[in-house]
Amino acid sequence: MYTFDSCVRYSETDEDGKLSVTGIIKYLQDCSIFQSEALGIGVEYLKQHDRAWWLSSWQIIIDRYPRLGEKIIIGTWPYDFKGIYGYRNFMIQDTSGNYLVRANSIWFFFDTAAGRPVKVTEDDVRGYKSAMTARLEMNYAPRRIEIPQTFVEGTPVHVCKYHIDTNHHVNNSQYVEIARDFLPDSFPIGELRIEYKKAAVLGDVMMPRISRTEDGYVVSLCGKDDVFAVVWFGMRKG
């Protein structure tokens, strides 16, 4: 397992003084990047070899939101590789070892020169093999999110420069930030799932479709003829 320590900063908190949902995702994303960089197979290495790991889906369970100034430990580890896919768990703990966040993610390996997914080889994951461990204990949800037929349309969102990351696509966390804006202010998020379908780029327009479900909300961020991402927000219990 790869871990790093942090302290919840004011700039990462929401209006309640707790780490925001987007802040949580950024911590998890940073942790995987830090591990890859430490192993010498990070962003620049992949770029030089015309490769990239692209995120296919998230499942994030929030057991407790850490507070402003609270010390936290963020960790990640891969637990399997099959075909074009890599499977990775994440966690955020407090200093007593209690889980604050548990997460699962599915990634696919991409040949950026050919513009298509490619199978993972032993050399591609040579550093990760020694870090592999058992799958985290949690209730695993399917990768695909069912999109309800009934929805209301939200205000279209134009992709701007601040949405874009080093892959020249909208960053994974930005889809959640955009979708979260269409939830009722009082909705307490206890779990979220994200399915990424097509990478949005600068100049694209996302047309949100918001559906109320029995246990939360589904926000589909759509293009003219396709879907960029689907985000499910589950209500916090208790």
Side-chain angles (χ1 to χ4, degrees), residues 21-22 24-26 28-29 54-62 102-108 141-147 170-180 189 191-198 206 217-221 227-234:
V21 171
T22 308
I24 288 172
I25 296 173
K26 288 181 177 179
L28 304 185
Q29 183 174 252
W54 286 0
L55 194 53
S56 176
S57 67
W58 273 118
Q59 180 190 4
I60 301 171
I61 299 171
I62 303 170
R102 293 167 292 152
N104 185 51
S105 61
I106 303 174
W107 306 68
F108 63 95
R143 178 174 64 89
R144 294 192 178 279
I145 299 171
E146 184 176 347
I147 302 176
V170 172
N171 183 262
N172 305 315
S173 65
Q174 292 287 347
Y175 292 97
V176 177
E177 188 73 1
I178 291 168
R180 193 165 64 97
I189 301 171
E191 182 176 352
L192 60 156
R193 294 165 56 203
I194 310 105
E195 181 185 355
Y196 301 96
K197 290 177 171 288
K198 180 183 177 181
M206 297 185 188
Y217 285 87
V218 172
V219 180
S220 303
L221 300 174
V227 179
F228 295 116
V230 182
V231 186
W232 171 79
F233 297 96

Side-chain angles (χ1 to χ4, degrees), residues 40-51 123-124 126:
I41 46 179
V43 174
E44 285 303 315
Y45 172 86
L46 291 171
K47 185 177 180 180
Q48 291 169 9
H49 291 78
D50 297 319
R51 293 290 188 270
D123 191 52
D124 295 323
R126 64 188 186 279

Side-chain angles (χ1 to χ4, degrees), residues 1-2 35 39 41 53 76-83 85-89 120-122 124-136:
M1 182 192 302
Y2 178 90
Q35 182 185 37
L39 293 171
I41 46 179
W53 281 106
T76 186
W77 62 96
Y79 63 85
D80 201 6
F81 295 97
K82 291 181 181 178
Y85 292 104
Y87 302 81
R88 178 184 282 276
N89 280 145
V120 178
T121 68
E122 286 295 320
D124 295 323
V125 295
R126 64 188 186 279
Y128 296 125
K129 286 290 185 177
S130 61
M132 288 179 64
T133 187
R135 198 168 73 153
L136 182 66

